[in-house]
Amino acid sequence: MRHIRAYGLVGLAGLAIAAVAYAQSTVPAAPAKDSKPAAAAPAAPASKAGQDPNAYAELAKTHWGDAKAGAAKAGACAACHGLDGNATANPALYPRIAGQSELFVAKQLALFKAGLRTDGNASLMIPYAQALSPQDMRDLGAYFQTQHSGAGIADDTAITSGPYEGKKLYQVGEKLYRQGDAGRGIVACTACHGPAGDGNPGPAYPHVGGQQSWYVEMRLTEYRGGQSTLKDDKLFGLMALETKNLSDEEIKGLATYLQGLHNRADQASPADVAAAKAAAAASPQPSKN
């Protein structure tokens, strides 16, 4: 695993989650402990044209997604997020969703369709989500989970004043991500999202490594605000607690650090790995004499 810096390694071409991120809430901080397709459904809002207030609850009736079926349905996503989910159309507007977990993607699509998620650029997503069945959502999630996440470049501009004077911006985020801040009750982000930002598909902690900094900054600021349209969203409650004491500068530091964070394995497709192994096997071996 490595971290890309502005004058270091260039980020990979072509996540979210992304990453489509969780809608917001003001509730308990305990993370979900099971890996079932859906927890207790949030209260349904009044239905508007095209919305299905039951879309979130309907996920509980689906089976695990089919990545091949999802690939056939991903064409509608490609114009904005790229066919592989790496947001090649306009990275400043659409988040990466490549490598995102199946359940996370499916949940966000269901929240859009139910009218429970209206933050950020939700208005762009809602018309697409309304056309999907719950199983379509699982299939799309399964497909994007198989895709390799790219990454960008982290900002290593030196900070010239304030508590972090002399540090580079990404270093502020790096320390919080890897060590947290015990004095302020901030747990290291690696505890849930992993050293390379791969997340955890069980409780549906999202893949955050390589996500565009603007998107991470937007979502962390929303979490810090502590308000949500959802009821009893424990995962949002957890993030609200983790972010409530972060400064704007710390949020920017985390955002740019994550933009440049990726796992080395993300670069290579299974075909690339197989070809490299075949080439190594065919190479003449050095003499032991």
Side-chain angles (χ1 to χ4, degrees):
M1 186 276 299
R2 62 179 175 180
H3 186 274
I4 305 178
R5 294 163 47 178
Y7 297 106
L9 300 175
V10 178
L12 301 178
L15 143 257
I17 52 141
V20 197
Y22 277 99
Q24 305 159 305
S25 170
T26 54
V27 296
K33 297 183 181 299
D34 58 41
S35 57
K36 296 179 181 179
S47 180
K48 295 182 180 180
Q51 290 181 354
D52 178 1
N54 299 313
Y56 186 84
E58 290 296 314
L59 281 179
K61 302 176 183 179
T62 59
H63 55 74
W64 295 107
D66 182 331
K68 289 185 178 180
K73 300 168 184 176
C77 312
C80 298
H81 295 286
L83 191 57
D84 67 348
N86 276 297
T88 54
N90 185 346
L93 182 60
Y94 308 116
R96 294 182 188 271
I97 54 177
Q100 197 57 263
S101 74
E102 175 191 331
L103 292 179
F104 188 85
V105 171
K107 176 180 178 180
Q108 303 316 306
L109 289 171
L111 292 175
F112 286 130
K113 183 172 182 176
L116 289 167
R117 183 170 174 194
T118 57
D119 56 274
N121 294 327
S123 60
L124 299 176
M125 281 298 305
I126 290 171
Y128 292 97
Q130 288 174 343
L132 301 173
S133 71
Q135 191 57 50
D136 289 337
M137 298 173 187
R138 296 295 301 273
D139 293 343
L140 283 166
Y143 168 69
F144 285 113
Q145 183 171 289
T146 67
Q147 301 306 294
H148 297 283
S149 172
I153 302 174
D155 188 348
D156 67 354
T157 301
I159 298 170
T160 58
S161 63
Y164 293 105
E165 182 178 358
K167 288 186 175 293
K168 296 178 179 179
L169 185 58
Y170 83 86
Q171 290 177 325
V172 174
E174 181 179 30
K175 183 175 181 180
L176 287 168
Y177 189 84
R178 299 198 170 281
Q179 301 177 28
D181 186 334
R184 291 187 291 164
I186 300 172
V187 177
C189 308
T190 56
C192 294
H193 298 286
D198 294 331
N200 185 334
Y205 298 148
H207 182 139
V208 294
Q211 185 57 273
Q212 286 96 330
S213 61
W214 68 266
Y215 189 80
V216 175
E217 184 176 348
M218 179 185 77
R219 292 302 295 154
L220 290 178
T221 300
E222 289 171 346
Y223 286 130
R224 186 178 63 179
Q227 300 299 318
S228 176
T229 55
L230 291 184
K231 304 298 182 183
D232 195 29
D233 189 336
K234 294 181 175 61
L235 291 173
F236 180 89
L238 173 63
M239 284 300 299
L241 283 178
E242 289 296 309
T243 56
K244 69 178 183 179
N245 292 321
L246 294 177
S247 67
D248 289 347
E249 187 171 56
E250 289 169 333
I251 285 179
K252 289 180 181 295
L254 277 165
T256 196
Y257 176 70
L258 289 176
Q259 179 169 275
L261 181 65
H262 74 283
N263 191 314
R264 287 180 183 273
D266 288 338
Q267 300 180 75
S269 68
D272 292 333
V273 173
K277 288 182 177 179
S283 299
Q285 299 299 311
S287 173
K288 296 182 180 179
N289 295 329

